[in-house]
Amino acid sequence: MKTMEKSLNRAGREELTGSDILLRCLLAEGTECVFGYPGGSVLPIYDAMVDRPGFKHVLTRHEQGAIHAADGYARSTGKIGVCMATSGPGATNLVTGIATAYMDSVPLVVITGNVPTAVMGTDAFQEADIVSITMPVTKHNYSVRHASDLPRIVREAFHIAGTGRKGPVLIDIPKDVSSQKAVYEPADRILPRGYEAAPSPDPNAIDRLLQAIGESERPIVIAGGGVVYSQAADELLAFIDRTRIPVTTTFLGLGGFPSAHELWLGMPGHHGTYAANTALQNADLVISIGARFDDRVTMKTDGFAPKAKRIAHLDIDPAEIGKNIRTDIACIGDIKDVLAYANANAVRSRSEAWIRTVQEYKIKHPLRYRDSETELKPQFVLEMIHETTGGDAIVTTDVGQHQMWVAQYYKFNRPRSLVSSGGFGTMGFGFPSAVGAQIGNPDRLVVSVNGDGGMQMCAQEMAICAIHKLPVKIVVLNNEVLGMVKQQQELMYERRYSQIDLAGSPDFVKLAEAYGIRARRAATKEEAVLAWREALETPGPALVEFMVPKDENVYPMVLSGTTLDQMILGDAVIE
């Protein structure tokens, strides 16, 4: 049955199906690629694609792979990612990815099919109320009832997803609506009542911030993902150069400030550097720029930054102000706009003695690990990857120890180079997000760093790399254990290890080769260097499995319930 059939109504105006209208609207919004998986309730939409050969769709092997790929595309390009799935299980398989994007403020438009309106509420085959299910983890969502509403809804959805504090928007389309005919009329942007993308910055608040900077002797900046999302890296660099304030970048803020800068202290928090955490605990002024004071940064909140006389918070979302940490100076607005005003009037802090102090922190306790000539250490692998890529690759990670080693040992040169699940910590995210990042950035090197646990959650997406010849370089740090869980059980549960043994996992080299991907295994430094060089020289996708010791831990570490100055340094500082 064809859905592309056009007809003229009595007024002689062209009528299209809801499916055709949807595809036209997506193209009008500049959609470059849709990641999806078909099923009964979206068959009219997929049928409409047949007559649109220029409409690019990537068939993933799981709906979760589709949404993580759309997420990786969005994070790495700054554009809006789009994915699609059918009703019921197809839609619910997207929920984890929607929540992942929501927690990290990633702009997505998620399209789901649903059962025909006539059988809604009857427990029809593959029926799920996906609008209600996703309401807590979407910025907005729509249930379409008339094909004629699609131009307005799609226009609104893209605007809402990509403005203000960005986030996912869901459009649920019943099967009969996607087949329904209507006159296609491009829509003007009509937004839901009360929607405000971003308030204009208050000059008085920024002036109070600048006054506090001028009075401060021990200031510090926490730069977060908001700097990256608002394209404000240049403005942040100018702000720091004018004010001479040391900078620490949150996990999602990595790349938002150059890692080679003399005032960069590294990442703060749970696995933050000694310099970053110690500086926060001794600062007299803390300035959060596009960071939300999450628990992995602050740790025990009533012991966070105890010497700070004032805490300033620059954020696009008023709801974040004072939510976790008291705020003395609130500058609400788009970070790029706030910093632009601040830079025009910036004053230098009295920080030179403080800068010398924090530089001593870096010298006293740099990131270190106990190297080995008989074992292949994961930190060595990440240092090697950084050295061979010059810090210019897009690096995607899964969640676990390898994720923190990437944050510590890979030095990012520019924004949107780290793609990782921060707030939600979604295992299985790393590899499919690399697929989306590579499609969105065909001329850049994309490296996907995974543990042996997370790699198995979406390994089926290797088929996409093979079919489309995507030159993603896949890294598996295989320690045959759930490393981060093991580390917490070791340090917090008296080594009472429970359900962490991943021995018996597949041979990742053979698994990759089964998909037609070139693969190698390395267990020594020499093997690692040769295998990685071969992967980089491979024109298409390549996988390297690095066999690393299961007893290696991530240090420094701040345990839950303790303060930032109570770091466990471990082997990281042993000579």
Side-chain angles (χ1 to χ4, degrees):
M1 183 179 76
K2 291 180 62 67
T3 62
M4 187 70 180
E5 294 294 338
K6 302 175 184 178
S7 62
L8 299 179
N9 63 11
R10 292 181 180 179
R13 301 173 70 185
E14 184 183 65
E15 288 187 330
L16 302 174
T17 65
S19 298
D20 242 348
I21 291 172
L22 173 66
L23 299 188
R24 279 199 184 187
C25 292
L26 292 176
L27 291 172
E29 295 296 335
T31 302
E32 296 175 333
C33 180
V34 173
F35 302 88
Y37 201 98
S41 291
V42 287
L43 283 182
I45 300 172
Y46 277 84
D47 184 65
M49 294 179 193
V50 174
D51 293 314
R52 287 188 178 274
F55 187 88
K56 186 173 181 179
H57 177 281
V58 171
L59 174 64
T60 59
R61 296 308 187 256
H62 193 286
E63 291 90 355
Q64 190 162 332
I67 193 162
H68 291 333
D71 187 312
Y73 171 92
R75 293 187 200 232
S76 62
T77 63
K79 302 173 184 178
I80 296 172
V82 183
C83 66
M84 187 181 302
T86 193
S87 64
T92 57
N93 278 342
L94 298 176
V95 173
T96 296
I98 294 172
T100 300
Y102 183 76
M103 284 285 280
D104 290 348
S105 304
V106 178
L108 299 181
V109 170
V110 181
I111 299 166
T112 55
N114 214 325
V115 299
T117 54
V119 296
M120 279 186 169
T122 67
D123 293 329
F125 178 67
Q126 291 191 331
E127 179 183 4
D129 184 359
I130 196 63
V131 170
S132 297
I133 291 170
T134 60
M135 196 169 290
V137 290
T138 50
K139 191 175 177 185
H140 195 63
N141 55 26
Y142 296 89
S143 179
V144 186
R145 288 295 182 269
H146 303 285
S148 58
D149 290 335
L150 278 166
R152 172 186 61 83
I153 287 173
V154 173
R155 191 91 192 266
E156 286 184 4
F158 273 80
H159 182 70
I160 293 170
T163 57
R165 182 174 181 173
K166 300 173 176 62
V169 176
L170 181 134
I171 303 174
D172 189 50
I173 308 174
K175 188 174 183 179
D176 56 319
V177 174
S178 61
S179 298
Q180 186 183 95
K181 287 191 175 182
V183 173
Y184 171 67
E185 295 182 353
D188 294 328
R189 184 172 294 129
I190 303 172
L191 296 175
R193 185 178 300 173
Y195 179 74
E196 183 181 20
S200 299
D202 179 2
N204 293 326
I206 303 173
D207 288 341
R208 288 195 297 274
L209 170 65
L210 297 179
Q211 180 181 351
I213 291 172
E215 298 170 353
S216 173
E217 295 181 350
R218 302 188 313 279
I220 188 169
V221 162
I222 305 173
V227 172
V228 176
Y229 300 153
S230 65
Q231 315 278 12
D234 290 342
E235 287 78 6
L236 175 62
L237 179 59
F239 179 74
I240 297 304
D241 286 342
R242 285 174 169 83
T243 59
R244 295 291 292 168
I245 301 176
V247 182
T248 177
T249 44
T250 69
F251 177 65
L252 292 182
L254 292 172
F257 188 79
S259 59
H261 198 285
E262 61 167 335
L263 294 181
W264 186 65
L265 304 181
M267 182 179 70
H270 185 47
H271 288 293
T273 65
Y274 178 90
N277 286 347
T278 305
L280 278 168
Q281 294 301 87
N282 288 281
D284 64 1
L285 172 64
V286 176
I287 306 170
S288 172
I289 304 180
R292 57 187 178 87
F293 289 116
D294 73 281
D295 59 300
R296 286 298 180 98
V297 168
T298 64
M299 301 310 290
K300 187 179 180 181
T301 54
D302 59 7
F304 174 74
K307 297 180 182 179
K309 299 175 183 177
R310 279 176 283 194
I311 294 179
H313 194 169
L314 286 59
D315 205 286
I316 198 169
D317 187 356
E320 290 296 340
I321 305 299
K323 184 178 79 174
N324 297 323
I325 296 293
R326 82 166 201 274
T327 300
D328 303 299
I329 303 170
C331 301
I332 302 171
D334 187 277
I335 297 301
K336 193 177 185 73
D337 296 336
V338 173
L339 289 179
Y341 178 90
N343 285 334
N345 303 279
V347 294
R348 187 169 180 145
S349 63
R350 296 180 290 172
S351 61
E352 289 310 311
W354 171 239
I355 290 172
R356 290 192 293 271
T357 298
V358 298
Q359 294 290 1
E360 290 174 3
Y361 295 159
K362 294 171 68 174
I363 295 170
K364 181 181 179 181
H365 291 306
L367 287 171
R368 295 182 186 168
Y369 62 95
R370 191 191 295 275
D371 203 359
S372 172
E373 295 305 319
T374 60
E375 292 182 308
L376 179 60
K377 292 298 185 80
Q379 300 95 328
F380 171 85
V381 173
L382 270 304
E383 287 178 328
M384 177 188 67
I385 293 173
H386 173 263
E387 181 180 347
T388 54
T389 63
D392 287 326
I394 294 174
V395 180
T396 77
T397 85
D398 210 82
V399 174
Q401 287 179 314
H402 68 277
Q403 181 186 37
M404 293 298 100
W405 283 317
V406 166
Q408 292 176 340
Y409 290 96
Y410 193 94
K411 308 303 181 185
F412 294 91
N413 292 338
R414 49 177 163 159
R416 299 196 181 278
S417 295
L418 172 65
V419 175
S420 189
S421 173
F424 212 51
T426 303
M427 288 184 69
F429 174 88
F431 176 56
S433 69
V435 171
Q438 189 72 82
I439 288 175
N441 301 269
D443 297 326
R444 288 191 67 184
L445 172 65
V446 176
V447 179
S448 180
V449 182
N450 307 270
D452 49 318
M455 187 65 201
Q456 294 182 72
M457 293 190 173
C458 282
Q460 69 279 353
E461 305 307 333
M462 280 194 280
I464 309 306
C465 286
I467 292 168
H468 296 279
K469 296 181 172 58
L470 300 178
V472 176
K473 308 311 174 189
I474 308 163
V475 172
V476 180
L477 296 179
N478 188 354
N479 60 3
E480 298 186 325
V481 72
L482 287 172
M484 191 61 83
V485 178
K486 177 185 179 296
Q487 179 167 339
Q488 293 189 39
Q489 289 178 349
E490 175 182 333
L491 298 176
M492 301 168 64
Y493 293 89
E494 300 178 341
R495 298 178 184 267
R496 293 167 58 85
Y497 300 125
S498 177
Q499 304 303 316
I500 55 171
D501 187 1
L502 292 180
S505 296
D507 181 323
F508 289 101
V509 171
K510 290 182 178 179
L511 182 62
E513 290 174 342
Y515 280 104
I517 293 175
R518 192 166 188 172
R520 291 290 182 269
R521 180 178 295 106
T524 67
K525 286 183 177 180
E526 293 76 16
E527 291 175 351
V529 170
L530 291 174
W532 181 242
R533 182 186 303 159
E534 182 178 317
L536 290 177
E537 293 172 352
T538 300
L543 179 146
V544 182
E545 180 182 15
F546 296 97
M547 308 303 297
V548 298
K550 65 178 59 177
D551 293 325
E552 195 71 18
N553 285 338
V554 182
Y555 293 116
M557 180 179 184
V558 181
L559 298 179
S560 298
T562 64
T563 55
L564 291 178
D565 51 358
Q566 295 176 284
M567 285 170 281
I568 300 174
L569 299 176
D571 290 344
V573 295
I574 294 176
E575 296 287 353

